[in-house]
Amino acid sequence: MASDSAPINLTHHFLIAMPGLQDPSFVRSVVYLCEHSERGALGLIINKPSDIKLKGLFEKVDLQLARPDLDDAPVFQGGPVQIERGFVLHEPVVGTVQGAPARAPTAEGEDLPAAVYASTMTIPGGLEMTTSRDVLEAMATGAGPRKVLVTLGYSAWEEGQLESELAENSWLTVGADPAVIFDTPIEQRYDKALSLLGLEAWKLSPEAGHA
């Protein structure tokens, strides 16, 4: 029997871990959801820095970072899946890079011009996530997107899994604000994301319950 309620789509939303969520990978985490559909969800944790600095990551892949503003930026632990793989969350790249038409925000379902980078996901809502090396190569020349967050690994949920966790009150959800990702000090991102809901951490109960 078909459900009368439309499936939720939390693409370009934050998942904010409730105090009762004790999974070590997600305790007090804020996850930016890059994709959410009936097939599952994919996101990046934006507030768990690793011990690796961006300059060090570039050196590991034989590149020299030519962005002094990013030398000491941490590489984040994006999630427990494929922790050896890099993901670059960034603002949309507009204009023309090396003769290629840039990818710009467009209405969902609209044809997109060729992307600047070889493997980029355009996220409805305004951000992009690139997994190909060419975005790092652009940053190595001093170019590339100005605002970036680089992770190793990502977070993933199978079909129906995230919906079950939401029903168990493991997460709060709110529309994403890029300023939390790119402009807010790391240690303040959890509280800042909560403030988008008008909440403060001390008001949250550690007990999970059902509505």
Side-chain angles (χ1 to χ4, degrees), residues 38-121:
E38 67 278 0
R39 298 184 302 275
L42 181 153
L44 302 173
I45 300 172
I46 65 164
N47 66 328
K48 288 188 178 290
S50 71
D51 295 331
I52 303 170
K53 300 297 185 185
L54 210 49
K55 183 177 181 179
L57 177 68
F58 271 66
E59 291 171 352
K60 286 178 182 293
V61 295
D62 298 320
L63 292 172
Q64 292 296 319
L65 179 60
R67 292 278 299 276
D69 57 311
L70 296 175
D71 278 352
D72 292 326
V75 176
F76 288 79
Q77 302 171 55
V81 184
Q82 293 191 4
I83 58 174
E84 74 291 340
R85 185 179 178 194
F87 298 81
V88 182
L89 182 65
H90 56 86
E91 62 186 354
V93 178
V94 295
T96 301
V97 176
Q98 296 180 343
R103 183 182 292 252
T106 62
E108 197 167 0
E110 196 173 308
D111 288 339
L112 290 168
V116 171
Y117 307 117
S119 182
T120 295
M121 173 191 295

Side-chain angles (χ1 to χ4, degrees), residues 154-177:
Y154 67 97
S155 305
W157 291 262
E158 297 178 349
E159 180 181 351
Q161 183 182 0
L162 180 56
E163 287 77 5
S164 295
E165 293 181 13
L166 291 170
E168 294 166 356
N169 290 339
S170 294
W171 302 96
L172 294 169
T173 65
V174 67
D177 180 354

Side-chain angles (χ1 to χ4, degrees), residues 192-205:
K192 188 70 172 178
L194 280 177
S195 74
L196 298 175
L197 289 166
L199 296 175
E200 296 178 46
W202 66 270
K203 295 180 179 179
L204 298 180
S205 167

